[in-house]
Amino acid sequence: MPLPVRASGRMTADETQSRITILRGQTLGFRGDPCTVGPDAAVDFDSDGAVAIAGGKIVAVGRALDLIARHPDALLESYPDHLIMAGFIDSHVHYPQIDIIASWGEQLLQWLNKYTYPAEAKCADPAHAEATAHRFLDECLRNGITTASVYCTAHPTSVDAFCAAAQSRAFCMAAGKVMMDRNAPDAVKDTAQSGYEQSKALIARWHGVDRLTYAVTPRFAVTSSPAQLEAAGALWREHPTTLMQTHLSEHPSEIAWVKELHPGAPDYLGIYERHGLLGRGANFGHAIHLTAREAARLREAGAGLSHCPTSNLFIGSGLFDMRAARQGDAPILVGLATDVGGGSSFSMLATMKAAYEVGQLKGYSLHPADAFHLATVGGARVLQLGHRVGNLAAGFDADIVVLDLRSRPLIAQRMQQADSLWDALFIQMILADDRAVRATFVAGRKVYDRPIAA
Ligand code: GUN
Ligand code: ZN
């Protein structure tokens, strides 16, 4: 058998782009949805697998010895006892809220007024927005998140800062300017007209540029007037390849206020529907307290949901019904999301744990196959990126996370008793966190390497 030319080590940018690199370890990908085909049929797992990457893409996934033999000149990075999988997709997060994560004592509407809007007001300053965007992206990498659907603030500068930061670091990201024209302080408000025009200009500037996707982002039905929702719907219609993201049925007090603000609508979703904001590529955050009509319309429309369990627990919003969303032959598209700063962690592993715990309180035990699928493939599908990211397969972008399966003594100890893949993955999602992230690759480049001391 031909031997690999060189063992692991730092690569130059040119080498990374042109030469094949092989990552060897335990590989995990998906060939189906565990919800519909069952966990065992859904998964592609190899205990001695490898991923060959070049030019920012995954060239091949297979048995380690086969790939090494096929590419004798490749650079080899070996990760024994590590899981190599697609980078996590955080399908709903607010980058300017990184500074108010873990803010005490309020539920949604008071939390927004007391903590969130003041933090977002600061993003009118381009220097603050730029520094915040880079800190946010650093945190993503530390947690193995390679794609996110990001809410910026109402200031176009906040989108420019975020998109420029993400572009300079080759991230695949979706982002949008929050549109909000009422029920909020002036410092974070736009108008129906300015929100439309600014968003349109941002679409022209950023949508489809490198690995960026624009998301039309009316914040929610509390802070957008009917005129603004109408303008957002028009904008989305005029730019059908963009995404649309908003919040839906998160907290009981919010839902009650929305009912007063939009009389005559059949329900919360009906407000968005009425303004052309329901369809494929729509991404509704939370969606906890849905009626049967809303669930049916979401399913029919091919819209996506972002389940934000740490946020729902932290803010006290309620318990998402995963079983209702995913049951049947045509489950609703669901991604997992941190919703920082309402969410209490950047870790998608911690987010999976919270999703499991929320499920338990609803009488539903989320299977680890489902959890890992939701955190990767599921999120990618919600963002209409399921053909490019979120899976470990030839032709996909080389956005990859390498997880240390024994990142702490307790985990190492517990792993000794693991008697199946599912047991091992469940141990990770319950016990592991950012300390398990050994390396993160974005577009084929290793951009995070866990410090040795960790
Ligand atoms: N609803 C409207 N805006 C927000 C926000 O920033 N975070 C959460 N969790 N819910 C919202
Ligand atoms: Zn949110």
Side-chain angles (χ1 to χ4, degrees), residues 194-262:
S194 70
Y196 172 88
E197 284 167 5
Q198 291 167 348
S199 302
K200 196 173 176 67
L202 289 164
I203 290 170
R205 197 137 70 236
W206 294 113
H207 181 55
V209 173
D210 293 337
R211 305 183 74 210
L212 303 175
T213 300
Y214 194 84
V216 175
T217 309
R219 182 176 207 121
F220 68 150
V222 165
T223 51
S224 285
S225 65
Q228 179 159 75
L229 294 175
E230 192 59 28
L235 190 62
W236 194 31
R237 250 191 324 279
E238 289 157 17
H239 302 89
T241 59
T242 60
L243 302 169
M244 194 292 299
Q245 60 183 356
T246 189
H247 296 83
L248 172 68
S249 285
E250 177 179 3
H251 191 280
S253 61
E254 166 218 13
I255 296 166
W257 195 10
V258 163
K259 210 169 180 173
E260 281 173 31
L261 288 168
H262 299 268

Side-chain angles (χ1 to χ4, degrees), residues 106 116 126 146-147 176 227 286 291 315 399 401 412 434 448:
E106 302 294 353
T116 311
T146 49
T147 292
H286 306 287
T291 64
I315 292 182
D399 290 351
V401 61
D434 56 329
Y448 175 75

Side-chain angles (χ1 to χ4, degrees), residues 26-277:
Q26 301 181 29
T27 50
L28 176 73
F30 288 95
R31 62 176 106 98
D33 184 339
C35 216
T36 47
V37 302
D40 293 328
V43 81
D44 252 329
F45 175 75
D46 198 324
S47 59
D48 187 14
V51 187
I53 59 182
K57 295 275 180 195
I58 296 175
V59 179
V61 181
R63 303 238 62 200
L65 294 181
D66 292 346
L67 283 196
I68 290 167
R70 233 191 292 155
H71 302 286
D73 294 330
L75 300 162
L76 180 66
E77 295 204 30
S78 283
Y79 293 101
D81 246 351
H82 287 65
L83 186 69
I84 301 172
M85 55 177 273
F88 292 116
I89 314 279
D90 179 353
S91 64
H92 176 125
V93 63
H94 302 253
Y95 93 83
Q97 295 178 19
I98 184 171
D99 291 331
I100 55 136
I101 189 170
S103 290
W104 183 82
E106 302 294 353
Q107 302 230 344
L108 180 63
L109 298 172
Q110 295 74 21
W111 175 84
L112 286 169
N113 281 317
K114 185 167 169 185
Y115 300 116
T116 311
Y117 298 150
E120 295 193 6
K122 294 184 188 158
C123 281
D125 170 10
H128 175 82
E130 183 187 0
T132 307
H134 280 291
R135 278 190 293 119
F136 171 86
L137 293 171
D138 290 344
E139 207 56 49
C140 285
L141 293 180
R142 210 185 329 280
N143 285 280
I145 295 166
T146 49
T147 292
S149 194
V150 178
Y151 286 63
C152 303
T153 68
H155 317 94
T157 47
S158 75
V159 183
D160 286 329
F162 180 78
C163 289
Q167 183 191 29
S168 72
R169 298 167 73 167
F171 274 99
C172 175
M173 286 281 166
K177 179 198 114 75
V178 164
M179 304 167 81
M180 47 194 296
D181 67 342
R182 64 172 175 176
N183 295 321
D186 287 346
V188 292
K189 267 193 326 200
D190 54 15
T191 67
Q193 187 65 24
S194 70
Y196 172 88
E197 284 167 5
Q198 291 167 348
S199 302
K200 196 173 176 67
L202 289 164
I203 290 170
R205 197 137 70 236
W206 294 113
H207 181 55
V209 173
D210 293 337
R211 305 183 74 210
L212 303 175
T213 300
Y214 194 84
V216 175
T217 309
R219 182 176 207 121
F220 68 150
V222 165
T223 51
S224 285
S225 65
Q228 179 159 75
L229 294 175
E230 192 59 28
L235 190 62
W236 194 31
R237 250 191 324 279
E238 289 157 17
H239 302 89
T241 59
T242 60
L243 302 169
M244 194 292 299
Q245 60 183 356
T246 189
H247 296 83
L248 172 68
S249 285
E250 177 179 3
H251 191 280
S253 61
E254 166 218 13
I255 296 166
W257 195 10
V258 163
K259 210 169 180 173
E260 281 173 31
L261 288 168
H262 299 268
D267 44 40
Y268 199 151
L269 183 69
I271 299 163
Y272 295 134
E273 203 173 355
R274 169 196 278 179
H275 296 291
L277 295 168

Side-chain angles (χ1 to χ4, degrees), residues 28 31 34 64-65 69 80 216 231 268 279 304 315 317 324 341 343 352 358 361 374 389 419 445:
L28 176 73
R31 62 176 106 98
L65 294 181
V216 175
Y268 199 151
I315 292 182
S317 302
M352 285 188 244
V358 167
L361 288 169
L374 289 168
V389 296
D419 56 6
R445 293 208 172 118

Side-chain angles (χ1 to χ4, degrees), residues 22 50 82 127 156 196 198 227 259 266 290 316 320 341 374 386 410 423 435:
I22 292 178
H82 287 65
Y196 172 88
Q198 291 167 348
K259 210 169 180 173
L290 296 180
F320 178 77
L374 289 168
L410 179 67
D423 200 14
R435 290 167 287 187

